[in-house]
Amino acid sequence: MIHPRHSFEEAGQGHVFRFFDTLPSDQQDSLTRQAAGIDLAELSRLIETEIQGSEHQAEDFSDLEPASYRPVPEHGGDKAAWIQAEEAGEAALRAGRVAAFTVAGGQGTRLGFDGPKGAYPTTPVRNAPLFQVFAEKIRAASERYGKAIPWYIMTSDINHAATTAFFEENGFFGLAPERVRFFSQGLMPAVDFDGKILMASPSQIALSPDGHGGSLRALVRSGAIAEMETQGIDVISYFQVDNPLVACIDPAFIGFHLLDESELSSKTVPKTSAGEKVGVFCVRGGKTQVVEYSDLPADLAEETDENGELRFRAGSIAIHLFDRDFVARVGGGKDEAFRLPFHLARKKVPTIDEAGNPVEPTEPNGIKFEMFVFDALPFAQNPLVIETKRADEFSPVKNAEGADSLATSQAGQRRQWARWCKAAEIPLETDDTGLPEVIFEVSPLFADTEERFIEAWKALEPKPEVEDGLVLGEARRAG
Ligand code: UTP
């Protein structure tokens, strides 16, 4: 086998091996492995087109239209259609056609938690980590539909071992271990502004995960797609690791996706303001796409319709359903027409100088490449966007403080449970934002929707006092 050193030299990246001969053999081996994992042809193409290519033309948004979406019944959606979709989704779940899929390979720099983000304690009473919340939702749905729903979790090199160890230490949160599959996503090297690969140390390339869009090729490369095919799974329920409110398994969403023969379905919530930092579902040239908040021109972002609502209001909250064969096509990489683009980000990348000494940059010194999962939308047949209620389904933990932090997410969880209590006619004091005075918690094993909460509460005897520290569903968690 030819040592990757030669191809790196040919590609003008020979400096990666500058210190190779001075390294101990285990470090030589690991550098060789890292180098062998890099797709040099892909990288050279990116450097040529994205870095050395002629300046990029400003994007033309003149033909951009808002994507239409299916509203929830409360906003005028057809109630009968939602019931029909729910039935279709339930049938698919009973037939074992659905897998859950969490992307958890990110670096979580904004949160700054020392460990995989999914291990972050997030619920207000039990301090249950995000992974436990999802596990309980998946377990509840598996029991309800009489089919164990497999759960695929994408990690990355930075957190793979810690993630699998966390599940093992916690008994897989009551799930059958063989139903939980972990695989690592791909890595991309960071390059300097001349396109030269940056080294993190004399023996390490500065590598980082290839973005959540890398999940599509990782699903293929890991064998997950092939495994799903043998198991008759054709619907992949995609969600991020940071949103404890997500309905990991949503029968109505699944039903609409199947009835519309959609290859990629997405949930939306109306933006709260023109400046809210979420991507927006749009249509251009007949293709649905997400335009990032940073790209959407301010005049379009602020435009209102005849009802005074934002015209471009369909915010993307990173909840999708993928058709398995669609993932095979886009993630398989055989057909260039279905290649996800890379986005470039200028970042401070710790590196080394000519002598191999560490350099901690104070200004951006490098470029990282990432793919975004929603860039698959224009390739999908019959893409579908449906509305969900923000308060019910979106309160992510992104930051250590302020917006989208643990505090806002816990408040979001507590307001949801308070609404359920109110619907079940349980007396409860709340402030005028709906936040209850007492701090209690509802495990997804007790109920994961308002309807099921009302039923479960009715059946519960004796009924406990809803007070500080109450956890509904605690007993079942132990069993
Ligand atoms: P974010 O864009 O919030 O990034 O990821 P992040 O890495 O979690 O956090 P910051 O930006 O460093 O603070 C959204 C979702 O996509 C996953 C994350 O794990 C999260 O669930 N993701 C992101 C990946 O799985 N891989 C990636 O390469 C990037």
Side-chain angles (χ1 to χ4, degrees):
M1 203 187 94
I2 305 174
H3 195 272
R5 190 171 184 162
H6 300 290
S7 25
F8 274 66
E9 275 159 11
E10 273 170 28
Q13 303 283 8
H15 64 282
V16 165
F17 293 93
R18 180 185 294 151
F19 300 100
F20 191 79
D21 296 334
T22 65
L23 297 173
S25 70
D26 58 330
Q27 292 185 18
Q28 287 187 339
D29 291 347
S30 86
L31 179 56
T32 305
R33 259 198 316 278
Q34 284 186 5
I38 292 176
D39 181 341
L40 273 180
E42 178 180 78
L43 185 68
S44 302
R45 177 178 56 79
L46 282 170
I47 294 168
E48 268 165 41
T49 56
E50 305 292 329
I51 301 179
Q52 295 162 344
S54 54
E55 315 83 72
H56 281 271
Q57 299 202 327
E59 234 178 309
D60 172 17
F61 289 106
S62 57
D63 58 346
L64 197 71
E65 291 291 323
S68 60
Y69 61 86
R70 210 178 272 269
V72 287
E74 289 81 348
H75 293 160
D78 176 359
K79 179 87 186 137
W82 280 78
I83 293 171
Q84 194 195 6
E86 188 166 359
E87 285 167 4
E90 287 176 344
L93 285 157
R94 278 193 290 271
R97 292 175 60 184
V98 184
F101 177 38
T102 308
V103 286
Q107 291 171 303
T109 34
R110 284 170 289 171
L111 185 62
F113 172 61
D114 184 21
K117 216 191 231 189
Y120 189 63
T122 302
T123 68
V125 179
R126 292 185 295 168
N127 286 318
L130 287 152
F131 280 137
Q132 178 174 353
V133 175
F134 307 139
E136 290 180 350
K137 290 186 183 191
I138 292 166
R139 199 173 138 198
S142 298
E143 287 173 10
R144 188 171 321 122
Y145 302 110
K147 269 275 188 275
I149 296 167
W151 186 14
Y152 292 86
I153 298 174
M154 183 177 82
T155 61
S156 64
D157 261 24
I158 47 176
N159 62 24
H160 186 84
T163 302
T164 52
F166 187 68
F167 272 78
E168 274 155 25
E169 282 154 24
N170 287 285
F172 286 75
F173 304 106
L175 294 168
E178 66 278 8
R179 303 301 284 174
V180 187
R181 288 289 165 91
F182 305 91
F183 57 87
S184 264
Q185 71 180 106
L187 297 169
M188 285 296 285
V191 299
D192 68 15
F193 299 143
D194 296 321
K196 297 284 178 215
I197 292 176
L198 285 165
M199 298 300 288
S201 76
S203 63
Q204 286 169 307
I205 299 169
L207 293 167
S208 52
D210 59 2
H212 40 65
S215 62
L216 303 184
R217 62 189 192 183
L219 276 165
V220 175
R221 283 179 187 166
S222 65
I225 289 295
E227 185 178 81
M228 288 179 197
E229 189 163 8
T230 59
Q231 295 180 358
I233 292 164
D234 59 353
V235 181
I236 303 169
S237 182
Y238 171 107
F239 51 94
Q240 301 191 152
V241 75
D242 50 24
N243 177 20
L245 287 190
V246 66
C248 304
I249 299 295
D250 179 344
F253 187 32
I254 295 166
F256 278 126
H257 168 82
L258 291 172
L259 293 171
D260 277 23
E261 297 184 8
S262 164
E263 288 187 322
L264 171 48
S265 302
S266 310
K267 283 195 180 171
T268 181
V269 296
K271 279 176 67 171
T272 47
S273 66
E276 195 193 356
K277 292 183 175 172
V278 289
V280 175
F281 291 100
C282 300
V283 176
R284 190 148 50 157
K287 300 276 182 203
T288 302
Q289 65 176 117
V290 168
V291 176
E292 283 185 87
Y293 66 88
S294 47
D295 291 339
L296 190 66
D299 54 330
L300 292 185
E302 281 158 21
E303 221 178 291
T304 50
D305 63 15
E306 62 282 4
N307 301 319
E309 292 185 83
L310 293 174
R311 231 181 121 230
F312 289 91
R313 64 174 171 275
S316 171
I317 50 171
I319 302 174
H320 306 281
L321 292 172
F322 284 90
D323 172 66
R324 185 202 62 222
D325 289 341
F326 175 70
V327 175
R329 195 163 84 230
V330 177
K334 291 201 186 80
D335 190 340
E336 289 198 7
F338 298 113
R339 196 155 62 189
L340 292 192
F342 276 93
H343 297 253
L344 278 60
R346 291 175 169 245
K347 296 265 164 102
K348 289 183 242 170
V349 183
T351 184
I352 52 171
D353 63 17
E354 298 275 309
N357 299 315
V359 175
E360 224 18 92
T362 50
E363 293 297 320
N365 62 325
I367 295 173
K368 288 188 177 182
F369 300 97
E370 280 196 21
M371 287 179 278
F372 296 161
V373 77
F374 50 73
D375 281 331
L377 263 173
F379 305 137
Q381 296 294 321
N382 308 329
L384 168 74
V385 183
I386 78 165
E387 187 185 4
T388 186
K389 287 188 255 170
R390 179 187 293 260
D392 282 342
E393 218 177 329
F394 188 57
S395 192
V397 184
K398 297 266 185 204
N399 304 307
E401 283 173 5
D404 294 342
S405 61
L406 182 64
T408 58
S409 181
Q410 287 194 341
Q413 297 170 56
R414 291 174 55 209
R415 286 193 191 97
Q416 182 178 58
W417 298 323
R419 286 194 300 280
W420 293 355
C421 285
K422 216 169 141 206
E425 295 174 354
I426 302 169
L428 192 68
E429 293 292 326
T430 61
D431 69 10
D432 44 12
T433 71
L435 192 68
E437 274 172 14
V438 291
I439 302 184
F440 66 101
E441 181 168 332
V442 181
S443 155
L445 293 174
F446 183 78
D448 54 2
T449 62
E450 179 175 300
E451 235 179 357
R452 285 192 273 275
F453 181 85
I454 297 170
E455 263 171 44
W457 180 259
K458 250 190 221 150
L460 187 66
E461 283 307 338
K463 299 206 189 317
E465 203 56 46
V466 178
E467 58 189 6
D468 277 341
L470 172 72
V471 179
L472 289 168
E474 184 84 278
R476 287 194 57 203
R477 190 167 68 105

